[in-house]
Amino acid sequence: MITQATGLTRARLRAPRVAAAAGVLFSVLLLAVFWLMRRSVPADPLEPGAWLHGGTSNVALALNLVPFAGVAFLWFVGFLRDQLGAREDRFFATIFFGSAVLLLAMLFAAAAVIGAVILAFHAAPNVLINSATFHFGRGLAYGMVNIYLVKTASVFMITTSTIALYTGLTPRWLAYGGYAVAATLLIGSYFIDWSLVVFPFWVLLVSINIWLKKDEPEARP
């Protein structure tokens, strides 16, 4: 009886719609983070930090949403890796899982840096503005998000698109679209402001397709 209950719980946890919901939640939260940050923080990494005097409530809210987005992303990644099952290739799986972990690590680190800048401002508001310390923190967060995180997200999109083609998880056009978007970000992220916004939109499309796809027989109660 216990074995049957355990198997049923595992099947429900592996249901595609659970992963799709996690993907949608991640996409919505990350888009909200980008929108809140853009409302308060100028895109120019060389700005002096005058936005700190204007209030940091939007930025603080965005930073508090980041961990929840990260947890949802882990659920989504776990489902995608589960789709490979016994067919999982160690080399490919390492790149896929490694890019996902690096993506989250840089996202969390960048959020922590911005949080530290805000704390430093509240501790010494007249000293931090336009100081070397502020520009260091601002440049560090900008580089992690707009350069390294974008590249890592591109690698994740490529591996996810490969999984989609290999398992039939999504329509082929969406998988090939992931390749095209990833290539664009790899090459043109330096010239496209806030290009990382494309990533959560793509995850949202993948999640919606997973949601609309009929559940596999093992996921039925």
Side-chain angles (χ1 to χ4, degrees):
M1 191 71 178
I2 296 177
T3 303
Q4 292 179 349
T6 303
L8 180 60
T9 300
R10 174 172 172 77
R12 286 176 176 171
L13 286 174
R14 293 176 62 186
R17 289 187 176 177
V18 174
V24 170
L25 181 61
F26 164 75
S27 303
V28 171
L29 288 177
L30 194 59
L31 287 171
V33 169
F34 291 155
W35 180 72
L36 289 168
M37 292 294 293
R38 172 50 68 90
R39 287 192 63 184
S40 300
V41 182
D44 183 9
L46 299 178
E47 51 89 16
W51 56 273
L52 290 167
H53 283 299
T56 57
S57 57
N58 285 337
V59 178
L61 176 58
L63 298 181
N64 282 292
L65 291 178
V66 168
F68 296 100
V71 172
F73 184 69
L74 286 176
W75 275 81
F76 180 71
V77 169
F79 168 77
L80 291 178
R81 189 174 184 185
D82 183 68
Q83 291 300 292
L84 290 174
R87 298 171 295 179
E88 182 177 70
D89 177 80
R90 291 184 179 179
F91 175 77
F92 177 76
T94 299
I95 298 175
F96 168 72
F97 187 68
S99 63
V101 171
L102 281 174
L103 191 154
L104 281 186
M106 284 186 284
L107 180 63
F108 285 1
V113 170
I114 295 297
V117 168
I118 293 176
L119 288 176
F121 169 75
H122 288 303
N126 296 324
V127 175
L128 185 68
I129 297 297
N130 207 23
S131 66
T133 301
F134 169 79
H135 288 296
F136 173 81
R138 182 74 169 84
L140 179 62
Y142 179 87
M144 282 193 291
V145 172
N146 291 278
I147 300 176
Y148 301 103
L149 201 155
V150 170
K151 307 303 183 186
T152 307
S154 300
V155 174
F156 179 81
M157 293 175 69
I158 292 172
T159 53
T160 303
S161 296
T162 304
I163 291 175
L165 289 174
Y166 192 57
T167 63
L169 184 64
T170 66
R172 298 180 72 86
W173 65 265
L174 184 56
Y176 287 124
Y179 286 132
V181 173
T184 302
L185 293 182
L186 280 172
I187 299 172
S189 61
Y190 294 105
F191 312 103
I192 305 173
D193 190 27
W194 285 71
S195 56
L196 188 59
V197 174
V198 177
F199 175 63
F201 272 118
W202 183 80
V203 173
L204 182 61
L205 286 176
V206 172
S207 301
I208 291 174
N209 273 273
I210 295 173
W211 179 272
L212 295 178
K213 185 178 179 181
K214 189 176 181 181
D215 289 347
E216 298 295 333
E218 66 173 0
R220 295 173 183 172

